[in-house]
Amino acid sequence: MKKLVMILLASVLTAMLAACGTSGEDGKKTAASGSADEKKTLTMGTSSDYPPFEFVDTAKSDEIIGFDVDLANLIAGELGYEVKVTDIEFNGLIPAIQANQIDFVMAGMTPTEDRKKSVDFSDVYYTAKHMIVSSKNSKIKTVEDLKGKTVGVQLASIQEDKAKDIAKTVDIKIEKRNRIPELIQEIKAGRIDAAIIEDTVANGYFKNNPDIKGVTMNGNDEDAGSAIAFPKDSKLTKDFNKVLNEKLKNGEVDKLVVKWFGGE
């Protein structure tokens, strides 16, 4: 009996030691594999007033959705990251990068030479045109028709630069607002005569605002392309650019364009 008890105790002790050993060994492996497998999070800064690039469908949720959000998730997911989207006024996006508050920006942002002094950019992933938006009964059809008019633009946008270029040859007064909906309301209230907005974005406002219209501006709008902004010398720029170009070539970006902008 004594011998049997000793055998049982020895077996239990052996099992406990094995379990402790396994627990420690597996614990290390689990922690290591967990940190390796666990997706890291990147914070994306955007300005959620720019449908279909980024916006909130308040009828469904308070989540920021859109073309840029889908594209960010597509690229980041390929690189093993999850994306957290944070809403910032457009003119505060580059300062937020510089203050290390966000990891990158996707907000229909154009890689101008001035912005390149502060941040690095990916290749352009989408190109649109500028549009003059005005009230439905307006007679504005060309840039020349803006003479003597008050023209609204989003603060710190490429359209602000465009308006400044127009002002060199056409007598206009420029009014700046933080967000696109403010420009739409200013037109509807008659406080400004027109606004310069990216055509894809402007088209998104016409459905719910039948009292406004838009005319696409002629000319070279290659400078109206959208790119991803990163902190200076960020490793993410090269990594994102590699995946972006793969997705541009294999048609995945085109599928997102059709989803959000329509067309084939």
Side-chain angles (χ1 to χ4, degrees), residues 107-161:
M109 183 174 282
T110 301
T112 63
E113 292 305 314
D114 187 54
R115 289 174 181 157
K116 288 178 183 178
K117 295 174 184 176
S118 303
V119 295
D120 289 338
F121 282 98
S122 71
D123 291 337
V124 168
Y125 59 84
Y126 185 80
T127 301
K129 293 180 178 295
H130 301 299
M131 178 174 279
I132 301 171
V133 178
S134 61
S135 65
K136 198 76 173 180
N137 58 4
S138 165
K139 296 181 180 179
I140 297 173
K141 296 181 180 179
T142 66
V143 170
E144 289 70 28
D145 293 335
L146 294 175
K147 184 176 180 180
K149 307 293 186 185
T150 300
V151 179
V153 291
Q154 186 178 33
L155 184 64
S157 68
I158 188 67
Q159 285 75 34
E160 180 181 347
D161 294 335

Side-chain angles (χ1 to χ4, degrees), residues 41-142:
T41 300
L42 294 176
T43 301
M44 166 184 156
T46 194
S47 182
S48 64
D49 60 333
Y50 216 57
F53 288 90
E54 39 271 324
F55 64 104
V56 177
D57 187 347
T58 53
K60 296 180 180 179
S61 75
D62 59 357
E63 180 185 6
I64 300 174
I65 59 175
F67 174 66
D68 279 345
V69 178
D70 278 4
L71 183 56
N73 284 320
L74 179 65
I75 297 172
E78 187 88 2
L79 295 169
Y81 295 103
E82 289 183 344
V83 176
K84 175 186 175 184
V85 183
T86 185
D87 192 18
I88 301 171
E89 288 190 350
F90 191 81
N91 62 315
L93 288 170
I94 287 181
I97 287 184
Q98 294 175 308
N100 295 317
Q101 295 172 349
I102 55 178
D103 297 297
F104 67 99
V105 164
M106 290 186 74
M109 183 174 282
T110 301
T112 63
E113 292 305 314
D114 187 54
R115 289 174 181 157
K116 288 178 183 178
K117 295 174 184 176
S118 303
V119 295
D120 289 338
F121 282 98
S122 71
D123 291 337
V124 168
Y125 59 84
Y126 185 80
T127 301
K129 293 180 178 295
H130 301 299
M131 178 174 279
I132 301 171
V133 178
S134 61
S135 65
K136 198 76 173 180
N137 58 4
S138 165
K139 296 181 180 179
I140 297 173
K141 296 181 180 179
T142 66

